[in-house]
Amino acid sequence: MDVTFFFDPACPHTWRTSRWLVTVGQARDLRIEWRAFSLAILNEGRGAPKFAEALAASGRALRLVEALRAEGRGDDAARFYAELGARSHDVGNPLSDRAVTDAVDAAGLRTDAPALDDDRWDEAVRESHALAYASAGPDIGSPVLTLPDADRGVHGPIVTEVPDAEEALRLWDSLLPLVRMPAFHEIKRGRR
């Protein structure tokens, strides 16, 4: 893979970043590997009742993402995530079980739907999450981006809106040398 994108489908910031990366991928012929990053795992023991439904739906979706990855079906995982985002973030709704089920159908993955409720995939989700966290952590969230030729991954980039193609490529071209630089640690600007 040219880039690995670890994501939690419940996060709207992650969704916008994924659309940026898809734009870059199409323009630069990048292969994107889609992997699980779980905000529920990240926040275990902290309690977040406001987000409980979205995180539960996300957990189900991430099982399917890892099941598809295990079968080498990255394009199916990408299509599933695109359908999830269209049914939640694009219309301003939190992720829900209904959105997950509808996204499975829209992505043509009905025969794969049993993975959503198969807790045997929870270990794969935890392993993927741990890999992302070890790559870019501590003190990170979703998304995490890794490159095969970089020692560490990065959290983000976080974008407040999906950039157009020209800006998307400019951001990618600016980010690459930073990700590959072992001494680089962090750039941050507060959200408005």
Side-chain angles (χ1 to χ4, degrees), residues 150-161:
D151 292 337
R152 296 201 62 210
V154 293
H155 168 228
I158 304 298
V159 292
T160 56
E161 59 189 57

Side-chain angles (χ1 to χ4, degrees), residues 149-174:
D149 62 347
D151 292 337
R152 296 201 62 210
V154 293
H155 168 228
I158 304 298
V159 292
T160 56
E161 59 189 57
V162 180
D164 65 27
E166 183 180 329
E167 285 184 338
L169 292 174
R170 191 175 316 123
L171 176 56
W172 175 256
D173 292 339
S174 300

Side-chain angles (χ1 to χ4, degrees), residues 27-77:
R28 296 289 168 82
D29 197 29
L30 293 176
R31 291 171 299 150
I32 303 168
E33 181 181 29
W34 302 91
R35 297 291 311 266
F37 185 96
S38 172
L39 292 172
I41 292 170
L42 183 69
N43 292 295
E44 277 179 334
R46 295 185 202 171
K50 178 180 175 183
F51 303 108
E53 182 182 345
L55 293 180
S58 176
R60 294 179 70 230
L62 290 174
R63 287 172 175 164
L64 179 55
V65 168
E66 285 301 310
L68 294 169
R69 185 199 63 79
E71 294 180 3
R73 296 170 57 197
D75 290 344
D76 288 339

Side-chain angles (χ1 to χ4, degrees), residues 98-122:
R98 173 76 186 263
V100 171
T101 302
D102 290 349
V104 166
D105 290 342
L109 300 172
R110 186 171 288 176
T111 60
D112 301 292
L116 296 170
D117 299 309
D118 186 344
D119 62 6
R120 292 177 296 178
W121 287 107
D122 291 347

Side-chain angles (χ1 to χ4, degrees), residues 13 20 51 57 73 86 88 133-135 141 169:
H13 300 295
W20 158 77
F51 303 108
R73 296 170 57 197
S88 56
Y133 196 81
S135 170
L169 292 174

